[in-house]
Amino acid sequence: MQRKSLVTIAWISFFIGSILFVFFNSEKTVENYLTVLFISALYTFTIATGNGVINDYLNQKFSWVEDTKNRLIWGIISTLVVNVILVLFCNYVNFILIQKLDFAEFFTGKLALFNWIILNITLLISAILHAREFMEAWKKSTRQEVVQQKLIAKSANAQFESLKNQLDPHFLFNSLNVLSSLIDENPEQAQNFTASMSKIYRYVLEQKDKELVTVQEEIDFARIYCDLLKTRFEDSVSFEFNVNPAELKFYVVPLSLQLLLENCIKHNFATSGKPLHIKIYAEENHLIVENNLQQREQVKKAAGIGLSNIVQRYSLLTKKNVFIEKSPTFFKVKIPLLTEKITAMTTSQSSQESKAYERAAKRVKELKGFYGNLLSYCLVIPFLIFVNLYTAPQYHWFWWPVLGWGIGLTSHALQVFGIGRSWEEKQIQKILDKEK
């Protein structure tokens, strides 16, 4: 135990001893005062230190958050055993050794009742301290989880921004390369390309700050971009769009089609004799860009911005995967269609933080209800026992509320600490995991 805890126990002992001496001791002498202080210190230090040592040991063996059930079970067993031993020891020293009462009456009559009352008070205080310790551990764990989620969200958002910032120079660089080729080959088409490129670049600037855009927006942009490619390659390349109107309301990452179309041109040769056919269509909740494979030899290693950029941006937004299929005759990329517009990982992480807080708040509420029930039991049952033994000692009716309420309290504990509804939820989740 820490030094601060021992000092607190000493003050509690002094306070209780002083109260007992002032209000419950008829002989106001220094000797009696010191005796009462000694007895108070005997109970407080013995019981508090014993419980503290047991708690420290259990905290090292079992975590309140990660291993709640075992921590609770061993906590209840050890608390009952240790407190029974400590209370009987303190009562023996107090009544038999100090007050010189007959040991034959230690487990009968008023001494037995006093043993029972002191034991219940001790268990009540231990239960309150266990509850407080559990809630502190749970709150600490929840705070750590929220901080961790915030760090993940900030890291993911920074990574997402970095990926989006690749698009501007990348698109501009490739467009200027196309324009440079057209200036030599066909100056008139170069002028048309320049005018169209300004419209396209305006779209790039408008969409680059968005996490998602509709398929309709992306298809409209892709058609303009395809017209530019047709301007350069003429009959060497063809494009086919086949997306149902219902699928135009879904969402994809912005400029994904432009990057995929650009990949098709970059990695395949296209001639009028062997034209490159590119198809854009939707199938099984995916937007697909497919081309016939006419792979050209790469003189130098590509930067790899296109596909890797799309894959990384999707990984930061959803658990759905980007699929790449390649055969001797075709190359196909499938990007998932998202059904809801989200605000990137920050919103996702905020939602996770909110859910974590809700789970923690619900858990704390359940625990408060259980410990409130336990507190009432520990207060009311000893009082009923006292009333029964004082008014009708020949008929022990107190066993009925002890057993009835005890069964209800046990059922409440099982429900809160892993059995019952939470057990059902765990079993359902296991079945769902197996099916996945």
Side-chain angles (χ1 to χ4, degrees):
M1 294 182 67
Q2 297 180 355
R3 181 179 178 182
K4 182 179 179 182
S5 300
L6 294 175
V7 172
T8 303
I9 294 171
W11 279 107
I12 293 174
S13 174
F14 175 78
F15 178 76
I16 294 175
S18 300
I19 293 295
L20 292 175
F21 176 77
V22 172
F23 294 100
F24 299 98
N25 196 289
S26 57
E27 297 182 14
K28 301 296 190 293
T29 63
V30 175
E31 183 179 355
N32 280 344
Y33 181 53
L34 294 177
T35 301
V36 172
L37 286 180
F38 173 77
I39 294 173
S40 175
L42 170 68
Y43 280 95
T44 52
F45 274 94
T46 302
I47 295 174
T49 304
N51 280 276
V53 171
I54 291 297
N55 280 343
D56 291 342
Y57 175 77
L58 291 176
N59 287 337
Q60 293 177 0
K61 299 291 289 184
F62 308 104
S63 169
W64 269 118
V65 178
E66 298 176 359
D67 200 5
T68 307
K69 189 184 297 183
N70 286 329
R71 179 63 177 85
L72 175 70
I73 293 173
W74 285 105
I76 291 175
I77 295 173
S78 60
T79 299
L80 284 172
V81 173
V82 168
N83 281 288
V84 167
I85 296 173
L86 294 178
V87 167
L88 292 178
F89 170 77
C90 293
N91 285 346
Y92 177 82
V93 173
N94 180 20
F95 295 114
I96 306 304
L97 300 182
I98 297 177
Q99 300 188 35
K100 307 298 182 180
L101 298 179
D102 188 2
F103 180 74
E105 299 178 357
F106 190 66
F107 293 104
T108 60
K110 291 183 178 180
L111 284 183
L113 177 61
F114 194 77
N115 287 336
W116 177 259
I117 293 174
I118 293 296
L119 178 60
N120 275 274
I121 293 174
T122 304
L123 292 176
L124 172 63
I125 295 173
S126 298
I128 293 173
L129 293 177
H130 276 286
R132 179 179 177 274
E133 187 176 355
F134 175 83
M135 290 181 183
E136 289 296 328
W138 191 268
K139 287 180 181 178
K140 182 178 179 181
S141 174
T142 304
R143 285 195 295 267
Q144 290 176 346
E145 182 180 355
V146 170
V147 171
Q148 185 179 10
Q149 293 295 340
K150 287 182 177 179
L151 291 176
I152 293 173
K154 289 180 180 179
S155 175
N157 191 56
Q159 186 180 357
F160 194 86
E161 290 299 322
S162 175
L163 289 169
K164 289 193 297 182
N165 289 335
Q166 291 179 348
L167 300 177
D168 287 352
H170 180 68
F171 175 78
L172 183 59
F173 175 77
N174 285 282
S175 298
L176 291 177
N177 279 341
V178 174
L179 180 60
S180 175
S181 301
L182 283 177
I183 289 174
D184 294 332
E185 297 173 5
N186 193 331
E188 184 177 350
Q189 286 186 347
Q191 291 181 353
N192 296 330
F193 185 91
T194 303
S196 299
M197 194 182 78
S198 65
K199 298 178 182 179
I200 292 178
Y201 200 71
R202 184 182 299 113
Y203 175 84
V204 174
L205 294 176
E206 290 174 351
Q207 305 300 331
K208 77 180 186 70
D209 292 328
K210 296 180 180 180
E211 283 76 22
L212 294 171
V213 295
T214 63
V215 176
Q216 177 72 67
E217 293 176 294
E218 195 70 4
I219 290 291
D220 291 342
F221 168 72
R223 290 182 184 277
I224 300 174
Y225 186 71
C226 289
D227 289 341
L228 288 183
L229 295 176
K230 286 285 289 183
T231 301
R232 179 185 176 189
F233 293 98
E234 297 180 344
D235 295 334
S236 299
V237 63
S238 64
F239 301 95
E240 178 184 343
F241 290 85
N242 186 18
V243 180
N244 296 326
E247 293 161 332
L248 296 176
K249 297 179 180 179
F250 289 98
Y251 293 89
V252 293
V253 295
L255 303 178
S256 53
L257 283 184
Q258 184 266 328
L259 289 172
L260 294 176
L261 291 170
E262 185 180 291
N263 263 13
C264 295
I265 300 297
K266 186 195 308 182
H267 296 291
N268 295 275
F269 65 85
T271 63
S272 55
K274 287 187 176 181
L276 182 66
H277 300 289
I278 301 175
K279 295 190 292 184
I280 299 98
Y281 59 98
E283 184 179 85
E284 297 179 350
N285 293 323
H286 284 81
L287 187 63
I288 302 170
V289 176
E290 179 183 349
N291 65 272
N292 56 317
L293 194 61
Q294 299 181 162
Q295 195 166 358
R296 67 169 70 182
E297 294 183 4
Q298 298 293 324
V299 178
K300 60 179 180 178
K301 186 177 179 180
I305 291 177
L307 275 177
S308 63
N309 183 286
I310 295 173
V311 171
Q312 289 180 67
R313 281 195 290 161
Y314 265 106
S315 69
L316 293 172
L317 292 171
T318 179
K319 294 182 179 180
K320 296 181 179 180
N321 297 318
V322 175
F323 295 100
I324 300 172
E325 296 181 15
K326 184 178 180 181
S327 77
T329 58
F330 71 85
F331 185 83
K332 185 187 299 185
V333 179
K334 300 179 179 181
I335 59 176
L337 297 175
L338 305 180
T339 56
E340 294 181 358
K341 188 171 184 179
I342 56 178
T343 57
M345 186 61 73
T346 52
T347 300
S348 176
Q349 298 298 334
S350 297
S351 176
Q352 292 180 14
E353 293 171 18
S354 177
K355 290 180 179 178
Y357 179 81
E358 289 176 2
R359 289 196 303 269
K362 182 180 179 182
R363 182 66 172 166
V364 171
K365 186 177 180 180
E366 291 176 349
L367 290 168
K368 286 173 66 178
F370 168 72
Y371 285 116
N373 192 3
L374 178 62
L375 177 63
S376 301
Y377 182 84
C378 293
L379 288 175
V380 175
I381 293 300
F383 176 74
L384 293 178
I385 294 173
F386 173 78
V387 171
N388 180 198
L389 296 178
Y390 185 79
T391 58
Q394 67 280 2
Y395 175 62
H396 293 173
W397 52 261
F398 66 82
W399 287 110
W400 298 109
V402 168
L403 293 176
W405 197 348
I407 293 173
L409 185 63
T410 303
S411 176
H412 194 177
L414 293 176
Q415 184 178 12
V416 171
F417 294 103
I419 311 295
R421 182 186 58 193
S422 59
W423 178 85
E424 293 175 0
E425 292 175 353
K426 290 178 182 177
Q427 297 307 311
I428 293 172
Q429 188 60 48
K430 286 182 181 179
I431 294 173
L432 292 175
D433 293 340
K434 287 181 180 179
E435 291 181 352
K436 289 180 181 179

